[in-house]
Amino acid sequence: DPVYTAKAFWGMKEYLKEEFSGWKPWEVFWLTAAALVIIALSIYWGDSPMGMISSTRGVICVVCTGKGKLSAYLFGLINSVLYAIIAFEAAYYGETMLNLIYYVPMQFVGFYVWSRHMNQESHEVEKRHMKNTGRLILLLCMIAGTVLYGYLLKFLGDAMPFVDAFTTVSSVIAMIISVRMFAEQWWVWVAIDVFSVYMWYMDFSKGSDNIATLLMWVVYLGNAVIMLVKWEKEARKNERDAASEQMRSGKEEGAVGK
């Protein structure tokens, strides 16, 4: 059907236009430099093609997530599948289950939710903060989940059960608040990335060839710190704008009442 084909083409054109719009020079530089460093060092250290593809797609995913772009979930889908295979071969079963059972379907959920809350001017997702009650529940769930899941992974023979449990449980929680567009996700991602760098460094130090995966997590950590600052700043701005709009609406209603 020529009409359907034309609509599909136009829709894709508009989607790509929105995804490429609004990027600052430093953001483009960070994305390009991170991907090139991982590719270059992966080739030098002789990493597998799967590891290289997974790592570069993962880096693009987290940068696009920080930018608030829908394409983050497309790159995240590729990364989740390949990373699950790599983690399984390294005997990190918590990471394997996390990616296959949780991350893969959540890419579709995240894409749908974010697509309904995009800022029409910046073409980025709207950013906000959690309430203090939500933050407390978040912390308690991370602690309880890590302890319980850690014992399960220990029973299964996981290489680093409690570290793996922390990164897995925290990632589940971080993904949920990421889909909900809360800035607090980046505090959780920073903690996850620190433990993940340690976990994959230990794997690499034992003689594995997963240098690309280790580098991916190092880049994730740097990106999480950068995006933490960005999302906190923009979430506070959105809250100030919302408060100003509410105050202005209240004054207008009062004027009409008089």
Side-chain angles (χ1 to χ4, degrees), residues 14 24 28 51 71 75 81 86 89 94 122 129 131 150 157 165 170 187 197 215 218 231 238 243 253:
E14 286 298 306
K24 297 180 177 64
V28 175
S71 56
F75 290 109
V81 173
I86 295 171
E89 293 175 348
S122 65
H129 277 125
K131 296 181 179 178
S170 299
W187 291 98
V197 167
L215 292 172
V218 171
W231 275 58
N238 291 338
E253 290 176 1

Side-chain angles (χ1 to χ4, degrees), residues 8 42 58 90 108 134 184-185 226 247 256:
S42 297
F108 298 97
E184 284 80 1
Q185 64 164 303
I226 293 172
M247 186 179 299
V256 171

Side-chain angles (χ1 to χ4, degrees), residues 61 72-73 76-77 80 102-112 175:
C61 169
Y73 292 103
L77 180 62
S80 296
Y102 182 69
Y103 271 175
V104 169
M106 282 298 287
Q107 304 307 314
F108 298 97
V109 175
F111 188 93
Y112 172 76
M175 188 67 185

